Amino acid sequence: MNRSFSLFEYLQSPVWVFDIHQKRILWANSAALPLWEATCREELVSRDLSRDMSEAVNAVLDSYLKCFEEGETVKTWWYFSPNNILKKALCYFSGIPLKDGRIGMLVEVIAEESSLRRELAFSSTSNLALLFAEDGELVSANNTFTHAFGDRLLSLEGFLGDSQLALEWLAKAKTEGNLKTKKLCWTGKNHHWFSIDGKWLTDKHQLLLNLVNISQEKEQLQKAKYNAEHDFLTGLLNRRGITNAITENQNNQHPYSLLFLDIDGFKMVNDTYGHAIGDKLLRAIAIRLKDEVKDDGLLARFGGDEFIIQVEHRNIRQPSLFAQKLIRALNRPFHLKEVGELSIGCSIGTSDFPTDAKDIETLITQADMAMHRAKLRGRNRSHHFSPDMADALYRKMTLRHHLTLALEAEAFELYYQPIVDMTTQQLKGFEALIRWHDEELGQVSPAEFIPLAEETGQIVPLGKWILKTACKQLSVWRDKFGKGFIMSVNLSRAQLQSSLAPTIESLLLRYNIPPSQLALELTESTMLQEYDDAKQCLDDLASLGLELYLDDFGTGYSSLSQLQDLPISTVKLDQSFVQGEHKGSQAIIEATRAICEKLDLRVVAEGVETQEQLDYLKSCRFDYCQGYFLGRPMPAHEHEERNFTLQHTAVV
C-alpha cells in the first residue's frame, strides 16, 4: 500500500487518486474497488483509462487541473463505465501532490445514484433539496434550504404557485421517474429562480427535488438582455431593442408611424468640441426627445446621431404634426456647461404600418429614405416615404453594381469637346468628357454616375482611367497628325491625394507628353474641404508644369484670395452666366474678365450656343471659348474624320 495515501484506506466512502496526465488510477481504497468493478487494487491501477476517454473528458480534466493549481475544488456528478457498466456518482475532486512534484486528483465519492437515499437529500453537504409526499405536502427540507430560506414552505403547490402544475409534476415524476426544468419558485420567504432536478423515490412514494439557485444567473441574463437592447450612452432602446419590442407586438399592433430622425450639424459639434461634448449633447437630445414622446410611443437611439420613434396612431393622430413638434423642440438651444449654448436641427423621415410596409426592417429603410429626402430638400424638416424613393434607391444600387462591372471591363468612352483660342481663332485643344453606355441601362448620364462614383470612392480608379485614356489620345494625335493640342481633364476632390502627382508624371513619361499639354480642371467646391491638403497637391501638380483650371467659376464658394493662393492658370466661367440674358449675367462676365486680367489669369467661357454670345465674349476679350455652337463633344474618330474642324469655322 502506498503510505502517502494509506490514511484514506479507513474512509467508508470510495476514494482514489487519479493521475490526470497519465490517465491512470495510482491508488484506491477498498471501498472504491466494487464501484470500479475491480477484483483487487493491483488490477485497478494497471488499467489504461485513456483508451476509451474522449477529447471532451480530457478537456474537462485539464480544466480541473487548473482549478487544483489555484487551490480550488470541484463538486459534480461524474459518469464512468467500468467494464462497460454505466455508473453515475456525486464526487468531490481536489488536488493532491504526487511524489514527482506534479498534482494529481483526489476523488471522493459522496454518493452513487443507485444508492441515493433520503438522508442524502437532507445532508448538509448536499445542494438545496426538498422532499414532497405523494399528495404534494412537504415532508422535509435539507439544512441548506432551511438555513437559506427558513421553514415556511408547506407544499409543492406553494413552491410552484400553481396547484394544477403541482399535480402535473407529481404525475410526470411517477410515470417517467424524473423531471428537469428551470422555474421561478416561492421559497416561503421570497421568489428565486431554480434549476430543478426531480427524482421519484419509488420505495418511499416521494418526490425528491434537488435545486440549484440560479437567480444570480437569471439576473445576469436579464442584465445582459437589457444591455443588448439598450444604448449605453443615452439609456434609450437601441436598434435591436426597438426592433424586438415592435416585432413582439406586431400581430396585435395598431396602425403606427415610424419616425427616423437624424441630427443636422452634429458632426460639426464633434469636430469642433470633441467627442466628449458630442456625447453630452446626445444625452441632452435623448432627454428632450423623451420629454416629447412621453408614453405615446417608443424611442430608440439607432446609432450615431440617429434616433427612431414609433408612435401609434391612436396616441398620435397626426404624425406629421408630431414630427414638426420634435423639430421645434430640438431647434431650441442646448446649454452645455463646458461650451455654452449649442444650436442644432434635425431631419425626419416617416413611414406607416401597415400601409407602407408590414415588417419593421422595411419600415426603417423607408423612413431612412424619407429622412434623406428631407435633408436634400433643405434639412430641418420632415418628409414621408413614397414609392418613388424606393425606385430611386433601387436605381442607385443597380447603377453601383453596373459601375463596378464597367470599371473592371473599362467599358467607358471619352468624348472630346473643342476649346477655341479667341486670339488666334484656332482650335486650342479639348476637354475630355466621359461617356458610359450600359447594355442593360442604356446611356447613363455623367450627372448621375459621377456623384455616385464620388460617394463610393470609385471615382479614384475611374479618374485614373480617364487620365490614362486622355494622355494616350494626345499621344496618338501628336504621332499621327502632328497635333500639339492641350487636353483638359476634370478632377474630383477625392483624387487630390499625395500619389496623384507621381501618377500623372509617370503617364506623361509613358506617352511622351509635354506637361504643358495637360490641363486639370477643378471646381470651386473642390477646394472647400481640407484646403491645406488640396493646396499641397495642387502645388505638386503645378511643379510638374501642368495647367490648372478653376472650373464653373461663379457658382461655388471660393474667395478671390484663392485665385492668388492657388497655382491656377486659367478660370472657366460657368455657362449659366454666358447663357443668361439679364444684365446681371453680363456684369459678372465683364467683372470676371477684368479680375482675371488683373491677376494675369486666362479665362474660358463655357456654354457658347449662339453667334450673339460669341460676339459678346469676343468684345469682352475672352481668351478661350467652348460650347455647342463651336463644337459638340464627339469621339476621337469623328474629330479625325472632320479633320479637327469646328462647328462654325467662319464665325471664329
Side-chain angles (χ1 to χ4, degrees), residues 30 64 81 194 229 288 334 472 485 504 536 589-590:
S30 300
Y64 288 174
S81 51
F194 293 104
E229 295 187 344
R288 195 170 291 185
F334 288 85
K472 184 178 180 181
F485 295 129
I504 291 179
Q536 181 59 56
I589 290 173
E590 294 171 11

Side-chain angles (χ1 to χ4, degrees), residues 2-180:
N2 189 319
R3 290 186 178 181
S4 62
F5 306 136
S6 60
L7 181 64
F8 304 118
E9 176 61 26
Y10 303 101
L11 294 178
Q12 294 183 351
S13 58
V15 177
W16 63 89
V17 177
F18 184 75
D19 188 331
I20 294 178
H21 297 95
Q22 302 297 327
K23 306 297 186 291
R24 291 180 180 274
I25 293 176
L26 301 178
W27 180 87
N29 67 356
S30 300
L33 299 181
L35 189 62
W36 279 98
E37 303 290 331
T39 55
C40 62
R41 185 181 291 112
E42 289 72 23
E43 186 267 328
L44 178 59
V45 299
S46 67
R47 295 181 185 178
D48 181 8
L49 302 181
S50 65
R51 289 182 300 175
D52 300 321
M53 191 171 293
S54 68
E55 289 297 319
V57 173
N58 284 330
V60 171
L61 291 173
D62 289 341
S63 69
Y64 288 174
L65 182 58
K66 292 179 181 178
C67 292
F68 303 154
E69 291 171 347
E70 295 174 4
E72 299 175 0
T73 58
V74 178
K75 177 184 175 184
T76 187
W77 286 98
W78 189 259
Y79 289 86
F80 58 108
S81 51
N83 295 336
N84 295 319
I85 300 174
L86 181 64
K87 297 189 177 185
K88 178 183 178 183
L90 183 62
C91 300
Y92 187 82
F93 299 142
S94 58
I96 186 170
L98 303 179
K99 287 184 177 180
D100 58 6
R102 294 182 297 114
I103 296 178
M105 182 169 72
L106 177 64
V107 184
E108 179 183 4
V109 176
I110 299 173
E112 291 181 66
E113 185 181 43
S114 61
S115 62
L116 183 65
R117 291 294 180 261
R118 177 177 169 178
E119 58 265 28
L120 174 61
F122 313 114
S123 166
S124 60
T125 61
S126 75
N127 216 328
L128 302 168
L130 297 171
L131 190 67
F132 295 96
E134 193 171 14
D135 61 0
E137 293 300 308
L138 180 67
V139 176
S140 185
N142 72 341
N143 293 338
T144 309
F145 187 94
T146 55
H147 178 75
F149 306 115
D151 57 0
R152 298 178 187 176
L153 186 66
L154 300 176
S155 65
L156 182 61
E157 176 187 341
F159 183 62
L160 300 179
D162 187 328
S163 58
Q164 183 61 36
L165 184 60
L167 294 175
E168 291 174 4
W169 276 35
L170 289 166
K172 181 178 180 181
K174 287 179 184 179
T175 305
E176 301 180 9
N178 56 63
L179 56 89
K180 290 180 181 293

Side-chain angles (χ1 to χ4, degrees), residues 393-632:
L393 181 62
Y394 177 78
R395 169 74 175 181
K396 187 175 181 179
M397 292 174 61
T398 303
L399 271 179
R400 181 172 183 172
H401 174 64
H402 284 250
L403 185 58
T404 301
L405 299 177
L407 275 170
E408 293 175 356
E410 295 188 346
F412 303 98
E413 185 178 9
L414 285 188
Y415 276 38
Y416 303 92
Q417 184 171 28
I419 300 176
V420 177
D421 187 327
M422 300 295 287
T423 302
T424 64
Q425 301 185 5
Q426 297 295 318
L427 180 63
K428 177 198 177 187
F430 297 91
E431 179 181 356
L433 299 169
I434 190 168
R435 295 293 183 263
W436 175 29
H437 182 274
D438 184 87
E439 290 185 2
E440 181 178 331
L441 303 176
Q443 196 70 32
V444 185
S445 168
E448 185 177 19
F449 72 82
I450 291 296
L452 177 61
E454 290 177 331
E455 179 183 326
T456 61
Q458 293 169 307
I459 192 65
V460 175
L462 182 60
K464 189 174 181 179
W465 178 86
I466 294 172
L467 280 166
K468 182 187 74 172
T469 306
C471 288
K472 184 178 180 181
Q473 188 61 61
L474 268 180
S475 178
V476 169
W477 281 340
R478 183 201 60 227
D479 295 342
K480 188 175 180 180
F481 300 99
K483 301 291 186 180
F485 295 129
I486 291 180
M487 182 74 75
S488 70
V489 177
N490 292 279
L491 285 186
S492 167
R493 176 66 184 87
Q495 291 175 263
L496 298 185
Q497 303 171 356
S498 58
S499 60
L500 181 60
T503 298
I504 291 179
E505 185 176 22
S506 67
L507 287 173
L508 296 175
L509 292 172
R510 177 179 177 181
Y511 294 107
N512 192 27
I513 297 171
S516 59
Q517 284 187 243
L518 182 62
L520 303 177
E521 297 192 16
L522 303 103
T523 61
E524 290 181 285
S525 58
T526 303
M527 308 303 161
L528 283 179
Q529 298 177 340
E530 301 175 2
Y531 175 78
D532 291 339
D533 292 341
K535 184 178 184 305
Q536 181 59 56
C537 183
L538 295 181
D539 288 339
D540 293 341
L541 293 171
S543 67
L544 297 177
L546 304 176
E547 294 277 338
L548 295 178
Y549 292 0
L550 189 59
D551 195 14
D552 297 339
F553 185 76
T555 62
Y557 304 92
S558 66
S559 64
L560 293 176
S561 63
Q562 287 185 354
L563 294 179
Q564 293 179 300
D565 294 341
L566 298 173
I568 300 295
S569 63
T570 303
V571 169
K572 298 188 74 174
L573 182 65
D574 187 71
Q575 62 180 355
S576 61
F577 302 112
V578 174
Q579 297 169 5
E581 297 180 356
H582 45 77
K583 292 183 178 180
S585 294
Q586 292 185 354
I588 292 174
I589 290 173
E590 294 171 11
T592 301
R593 181 67 189 95
I595 291 170
C596 290
E597 188 173 9
K598 291 292 185 183
L599 296 176
D600 197 25
L601 297 173
R602 293 182 293 275
V603 61
V604 180
E606 297 182 287
V608 179
E609 294 186 349
T610 66
Q611 182 69 54
E612 290 75 18
Q613 292 169 359
L614 183 63
D615 291 340
Y616 177 68
L617 293 169
K618 286 171 64 178
S619 69
C620 293
R621 294 178 292 130
F622 266 63
D623 300 295
Y624 308 104
C625 286
Q626 73 178 95
Y628 282 8
F629 187 71
L630 299 171
R632 292 176 175 271

